[in-house]
Amino acid sequence: MGQIKIYGLKEHLIPIRAQVSNTLHGCVVDAFQYPENKRAHRFFYLDQEDFFYPAGRSSQYTIIEISLFEGRSVAAKKRLYQFIFDRFERELGISPNDIEITLTETPLHNWGIRGKPADELLLDYSISV
């Protein structure tokens, strides 16, 4: 699994990037029973003039895009969303109204990892959660 992109205003994200990464990774680990040692996060810092976001959002507006292997249940995905909304608000002070999450699932054979197609790898975790 897991390539995660986090987009937001530079002045908002840079000071809290480590906390955002830690909180987000904890959500993925808990919702998907994902290994603690597998984290791939990339931050995309945007200047105010390059980031147009919907009315009613604040400067904390954050977009989270997660690319993952297909196979997680709808219930697991909904758990992930709720963990992110709850923990981002509690731990980072970011309102659920300022968070948007997109999951993009692809078949294992559409990933190349460690020199092989992912459907030929022996994973040390289950994607059927």
Side-chain angles (χ1 to χ4, degrees), residues 20-48:
V20 168
S21 180
N22 290 336
T23 298
L24 186 55
H25 189 61
C27 294
V28 172
V29 166
D30 292 345
F32 290 165
Q33 301 167 21
Y34 194 63
E36 187 71 43
N37 66 338
K38 295 190 184 292
R39 183 186 312 208
H41 298 173
R42 293 178 309 284
F43 286 83
F44 294 83
Y45 306 113
L46 301 163
D47 292 320
Q48 186 76 43

Side-chain angles (χ1 to χ4, degrees), residues 42-61:
R42 293 178 309 284
F43 286 83
F44 294 83
Y45 306 113
L46 301 163
D47 292 320
Q48 186 76 43
E49 61 270 12
D50 295 324
F51 194 32
F52 297 91
Y53 45 87
R57 305 311 194 279
S58 79
S59 62
Q60 293 183 318
Y61 180 66

